Amino acid sequence: MNSLAKVPVTVVTGFLGSGKTTLIQHLITNANGKKLAVLVNEFGSEGVDGDILKSCADANCPAENIVELANGCICCTVADDFIPAMEQLLARNVKPDHILIETSGLALPKPLLKAFDWPEIRSRITVDGVIALADAEAVAAGRFAPDPDAVEAQRAADDNLDHETPLSEVFEDQIACADIVLLTKADLAGSVGLEAARAAIEAEMPRRVPMLPVVDGAVDARVILGLEAAAEDDLAARPSHHDGEHEHNDFTSVVIELPEVTDVGALIASIQRLAREQNVLRAKGYVAVEGKPMRLLLQSVGERVRHQFDRPWGAKPRQSKLVVIGEHSDIDEAAIRTGLGI
């Protein structure tokens, strides 16, 4: 790479549990010889996604090239977190060929793009593209694409429903900012679900962009890297519900420490019950299971829970922690602890 050339950066955005970490894992292991670096932004104080990615680090993306920021949204902490992290990556003895940024599932991508105009970095990096991931199965079910007619009927019936829900606004802002939309979990959605998801997303798009179905993050890096979109110079084409403002007061997270688990099935049932009864959006973390030397990686989106033993605890303490995320009004730490039986 020409030392005077800007390093391309791809921003990977998408709602909670849409598959961002899975996509980046695939890119790390299928980089086509590119030297990658990854910046992971978690919502909440306990990082999980960065640890997952470091477990698949290799020569093209060594562990020291995976930087984790868990102090809140990077576009809200630009000077304190984002700029120093980018400078750290650019100061590596071997400069990365491409940087991937995994945003929090609750992040609005447009304010992040504005951060690329900061003097410290604007001459050295460019936004190659914004990749938005959408859970095709969820979108097909209408969870994040409200029917305009139904919304109008609700507005007429109740003056308190003048605005769309925070979740739908986050989703729509992510789609509006994208250069490519990946319809993830395409196998779960099926052909009918994929078409429904496409139609719902197209209805929210301010401009047409490619939409590709994806299973388990498997997409050719040549398709989504090297777009040369220079998105930081194209903000007018990426409208947002929140132009001129940016807050995350609608969401919060709590970290729950658990005792060693004896019944994984009971824990999963408890998490599913929290999603139903307390509107918990997301839970993720590592769990120590009695009699098992390996840690259990657990991630949930609503009532959908995925889990697997990923690696031995080794020298690390066998400490179970779950990050639980939801809308601010729904997160009651005491009730969550009770729901988990602790």
Side-chain angles (χ1 to χ4, degrees), residues 9-139:
V9 178
T10 293
V11 176
V12 179
T13 185
F15 199 72
L16 297 164
S18 60
K20 298 185 299 296
T21 303
T22 301
L23 172 68
I24 293 178
Q25 280 180 300
H26 179 81
L27 292 174
I28 288 174
T29 54
N30 297 274
N32 297 327
K34 287 182 180 290
K35 295 181 178 64
L36 299 180
V38 181
L39 182 62
V40 184
N41 183 211
E42 296 250 27
F43 187 86
S45 59
E46 292 289 332
V48 175
D49 294 344
D51 205 10
I52 295 171
L53 292 174
K54 286 178 182 178
S55 70
C56 62
D58 59 18
N60 287 322
C61 187
E64 61 267 23
N65 276 21
I66 300 174
V67 177
E68 192 173 2
L69 300 179
N71 295 323
C73 174
I74 49 180
C75 48
C76 296
T77 58
V78 172
D80 294 334
D81 292 317
F82 176 62
I83 299 300
M86 295 302 292
E87 289 182 316
Q88 176 186 343
L89 292 176
L90 294 170
R92 295 276 188 256
N93 290 331
V94 179
K95 187 185 294 186
D97 297 324
H98 205 112
I99 298 173
L100 307 174
I101 297 180
E102 178 186 343
T103 70
S104 155
L106 302 175
L108 304 176
K110 189 170 180 178
L112 175 58
L113 297 189
K114 293 178 180 178
F116 283 79
D117 195 42
W118 276 56
E120 292 90 336
I121 60 172
R122 66 186 177 192
S123 64
R124 295 188 283 166
I125 59 177
T126 181
V127 183
D128 180 69
V130 178
I131 311 301
L133 276 61
D135 182 322
E137 184 186 34
V139 174

Side-chain angles (χ1 to χ4, degrees), residues 185-209:
K185 303 172 188 171
D187 52 335
L188 299 179
S191 58
V192 174
L194 278 174
E195 287 309 307
R198 284 181 187 275
I201 291 171
E202 284 177 351
E204 303 296 341
M205 283 181 169
R207 59 200 171 105
R208 290 185 63 85
V209 302

Side-chain angles (χ1 to χ4, degrees), residues 136-287:
E137 184 186 34
V139 174
R143 296 176 201 164
F144 310 118
D147 182 331
D149 293 335
V151 172
E152 286 299 326
Q154 289 173 328
R155 283 175 176 167
D158 189 342
D159 290 339
N160 293 322
L161 296 175
D162 281 343
H163 302 288
E164 296 171 18
T165 65
L167 294 182
S168 68
E169 289 188 0
V170 170
F171 179 74
E172 289 161 15
D173 277 17
Q174 291 171 350
I175 295 299
C177 203
D179 294 291
I180 291 180
V181 175
L182 300 183
L183 299 171
T184 61
K185 303 172 188 171
D187 52 335
L188 299 179
S191 58
V192 174
L194 278 174
E195 287 309 307
R198 284 181 187 275
I201 291 171
E202 284 177 351
E204 303 296 341
M205 283 181 169
R207 59 200 171 105
R208 290 185 63 85
V209 302
M211 276 193 280
L212 306 173
V214 174
V215 175
D216 294 332
V219 61
D220 193 322
R222 294 171 299 179
V223 175
I224 61 174
L225 304 185
L227 300 180
E228 299 183 357
E232 71 275 20
D233 297 326
D234 187 34
L235 296 179
R238 304 164 193 266
S240 166
H241 287 282
H242 302 269
D243 283 335
E245 61 175 283
H246 182 50
E247 298 183 15
H248 288 295
N249 295 333
D250 296 313
F251 306 100
T252 191
S253 67
V254 294
V255 178
I256 306 294
E257 295 189 12
L258 303 169
E260 198 156 294
V261 171
T262 57
D263 187 340
V264 174
L267 174 61
I268 291 172
S270 295
I271 292 171
Q272 291 171 327
R273 188 165 55 251
L274 288 175
R276 286 194 304 272
E277 298 177 1
Q278 297 189 43
N279 296 321
V280 165
L281 301 174
R282 186 89 159 100
K284 54 185 178 178
Y286 296 104
V287 176

